[in-house]
Amino acid sequence: MLRSNWWKLLAVLIILYTFLAGMLVPLKPGIVKVSPSSAHTGELIEMEVTGYNSNYLKAKDSLRAWLKLDNERALGASDLEVIDDRNLKIKFQIPEYLPADERIKDLTLILDNSKDGASFLPSAVFITQDSIDPDMGLKSWQNTSVENLNEKAGISFPFRNILKESIRNTYFHVSLWLSMVIIFIASVVYSIKYLRTNDVDSDLKALSLTRIGTIFGFLGLITGAIWAKNTWGAYWSWDVKQNMTAIALLIYCAYFVLRSSFEDPEKSARLGAVYNIFAFAALIPLIYVIPRLTDSLHPGAGGNPALGGEDLDNTMRMVFYPAVIGWTLFGLWMGSLWYRADRLEHKLNE
Amino acid sequence: MIKKKILAVLMLQCLWILAFGQNADPDFMSSIGKIYVVVTVIIAVFLGIVIFLIFLDRKLTKLEDQIKEHD
């Protein structure tokens, strides 16, 4: 029994691992909020900083803070006051002139301590210059270099200010899409096999796999909409990625309509197989090519790669790739159940 | 028939909570670092698997009826 069904057990174990690792590994400490977030040159600003998963009180002695202007220049904190593990008051003396010729300059806040490691908040403070003089700024700039940053011990997922814990959706939304593509590829292989051999079983396999792929696709769309609501502000933003995936799924829905519109099962199978190949040929440009050509809110579009940078670091890969394999095997299991029911029906009707 | 009605009502309720439960209080969804977004997504995936089971159940019932007629 277990000899031929080992891959089903594997699917369950991998998904279990995905749930456990994906939900229980903590996020890296991060900076949620800074107020005030704007200042003028020449001011002494006192910022209240709210952290996430941070240990400011426990690592009080090693706490350091900077406002980073660019890769070479950073401003050290003139005073640091720890309120508790999550709250902090930092004072910065902003110089009279900045070594920059823009009127408004955004600075990155960097915090570092021995327990949390380094955390960043890009564009934390916007400094308005009353008069612009880069040369004076360069002369009067007192640089505190950002160095000897700590690393957080143990494994953790990256902290992204707009995503926070919802970065874990990578394992339940992104991986479903990748599994869907793998399942659709398998379906196309069986469709081609059917066209070459006229073997009914191949057609039934292709049909079941397309069903599962479509279910996964709709799940991807729904989970994506829930995620979008809490990140972009709306379930459906008429974003190019959302629109194109919806069109691709409608093309696949038409596959089932097309199949059921023929009385003759052989005709239905033959046309279904041909249509499936064309549907897959439309799917890839619709979901992977067109969104990359224009601007989109979705990662992996408009030139920003989805599977790279800080959205998917090496710790996340350790969960993400198993998740793709797990969901694919799970989908194959679901598909094989349907295929077996279909085959029984076919045998009965013969 | 009654069973089907109960099932439909339960499913609708789940969808209702999924769609509008989070509209009621946006602060709730963004609390504890937006962890409830992940919870909602996992519930959605679970419901997808349940819908698959319902379809498969109906298919197998149809097959069983056919076999009964056959005998």
Side-chain angles (χ1 to χ4, degrees):
Chain A
M1 162 83 181
L2 206 63
R3 223 195 185 102
S4 56
N5 289 321
W6 59 272
W7 56 279
K8 296 172 189 171
L9 184 68
L10 189 68
V12 172
L13 287 179
I14 293 176
I15 288 176
L16 199 64
Y17 163 77
T18 305
F19 272 108
L20 289 176
M23 297 305 285
L24 296 179
V25 170
L27 289 195
K28 274 197 177 63
I31 305 163
V32 179
K33 207 174 70 186
V34 165
S35 77
S37 56
S38 61
H40 281 271
T41 43
E43 272 182 355
L44 175 75
I45 53 166
E46 191 186 51
M47 297 196 305
E48 287 178 30
V49 176
T50 316
Y52 190 83
N53 275 358
S54 51
N55 296 291
Y56 299 145
L57 203 58
K58 289 184 198 105
K60 203 175 168 184
D61 300 328
S62 60
L63 199 61
R64 293 175 299 166
W66 296 271
L67 277 180
K68 193 174 134 200
L69 183 77
D70 52 35
N71 283 336
E72 288 138 44
R73 278 172 279 271
L75 203 64
S78 53
D79 190 40
L80 264 165
E81 190 195 333
V82 178
I83 299 163
D84 55 35
D85 269 341
R86 298 282 183 274
N87 291 290
L88 202 63
K89 273 188 181 157
I90 315 174
K91 281 190 187 135
F92 284 104
Q93 176 66 53
I94 312 289
E96 292 287 342
Y97 299 97
L98 292 181
D101 45 14
E102 295 113 284
R103 206 174 151 65
I104 297 172
K105 188 84 186 139
D106 60 315
L107 305 184
T108 302
L109 176 69
I110 304 174
L111 286 180
D112 180 67
N113 69 48
S114 56
K115 227 174 146 59
D116 298 336
S119 40
F120 304 82
L121 182 65
S123 303
V125 193
F126 288 86
I127 309 280
T128 313
Q129 297 202 71
D130 295 323
S131 47
I132 300 166
D133 190 342
D135 292 331
M136 272 293 283
L138 269 175
K139 249 181 253 169
S140 63
W141 184 266
Q142 287 183 318
N143 199 47
T144 318
S145 55
V146 182
E147 52 191 12
N148 302 328
L149 291 179
N150 291 296
E151 281 275 341
K152 185 181 163 55
I155 59 163
S156 52
F157 294 144
F159 176 87
R160 307 281 278 154
N161 207 27
I162 50 164
L163 298 176
K164 299 196 186 78
E165 302 280 356
S166 76
I167 200 166
R168 301 172 197 277
N169 278 350
T170 311
Y171 317 126
F172 311 109
H173 163 76
V174 188
S175 56
L176 273 179
W177 282 112
L178 269 175
S179 303
M180 178 198 79
V181 171
I182 296 170
I183 287 169
F184 277 151
I185 289 172
S187 154
V188 167
V189 169
Y190 278 117
S191 276
I192 295 171
K193 207 171 161 194
Y194 171 74
L195 289 176
R196 288 167 62 104
T197 60
N198 251 341
D199 171 28
V200 186
D201 280 355
S202 295
D203 178 59
L204 291 179
K205 277 177 187 161
L207 174 62
S208 300
L209 286 170
T210 311
R211 279 197 182 109
I212 302 304
T214 314
I215 290 178
F216 275 20
F218 273 105
L219 279 180
L221 210 61
I222 292 165
T223 54
I226 295 167
W227 202 2
K229 168 75 183 164
N230 295 285
T231 314
W232 307 339
Y235 289 110
W236 201 266
S237 327
W238 299 104
D239 184 77
V240 60
K241 189 93 167 179
Q242 289 181 318
N243 290 342
M244 293 304 148
T245 47
I247 292 170
L249 285 177
L250 285 179
I251 290 175
Y252 270 97
C253 287
Y255 168 80
F256 303 110
V257 178
L258 180 85
R259 282 194 72 115
S260 58
S261 60
F262 290 102
E263 290 273 322
D264 177 18
E266 209 196 310
K267 214 174 190 176
S268 154
R270 190 153 275 277
L271 268 158
V274 173
Y275 184 88
N276 190 20
I277 295 167
F278 278 103
F280 185 74
L283 174 82
I284 296 304
L286 278 173
I287 68 174
Y288 285 126
V289 180
I290 294 174
R292 268 163 215 256
L293 298 178
T294 56
D295 278 331
S296 165
L297 294 162
H298 197 281
N304 61 334
L307 299 180
E310 285 174 56
D311 285 331
L312 189 75
D313 72 348
N314 284 337
T315 323
M316 292 187 73
R317 277 177 228 272
M318 274 160 50
V319 185
F320 176 69
Y321 292 133
V324 174
I325 297 167
W327 286 118
T328 307
L329 286 177
F330 200 73
L332 292 180
W333 186 7
M334 285 161 77
S336 76
L337 288 180
W338 209 313
Y339 160 70
R340 278 153 68 185
D342 269 347
R343 201 175 50 177
L344 278 178
E345 192 184 32
H346 187 77
K347 287 243 164 80
L348 270 176
N349 291 338
E350 250 173 8
Chain B
M1 208 45 214
I2 277 197
K3 261 188 201 162
K4 262 188 187 164
K5 264 184 193 164
I6 293 171
L7 198 72
V9 167
L10 275 178
M11 289 293 287
L12 274 177
Q13 234 166 21
C14 287
L15 285 176
W16 182 263
I17 293 166
L18 215 60
F20 299 106
Q22 45 181 307
N23 268 1
D25 188 2
D27 286 344
F28 174 72
M29 284 306 277
S30 56
S31 63
I32 326 182
K34 293 189 179 181
I35 189 70
Y36 290 109
V37 181
V38 188
V39 175
T40 317
V41 161
I42 290 173
I43 294 170
V45 174
F46 172 72
L47 282 182
I49 295 168
V50 170
I51 289 169
F52 165 81
L53 281 177
I54 292 171
F55 275 111
L56 188 65
D57 191 311
R58 276 172 44 186
K59 170 131 212 154
L60 287 176
T61 314
K62 213 171 87 189
L63 274 181
E64 280 169 350
D65 289 348
Q66 268 187 15
I67 290 172
K68 244 181 236 160
E69 276 171 33
H70 217 67
D71 298 335

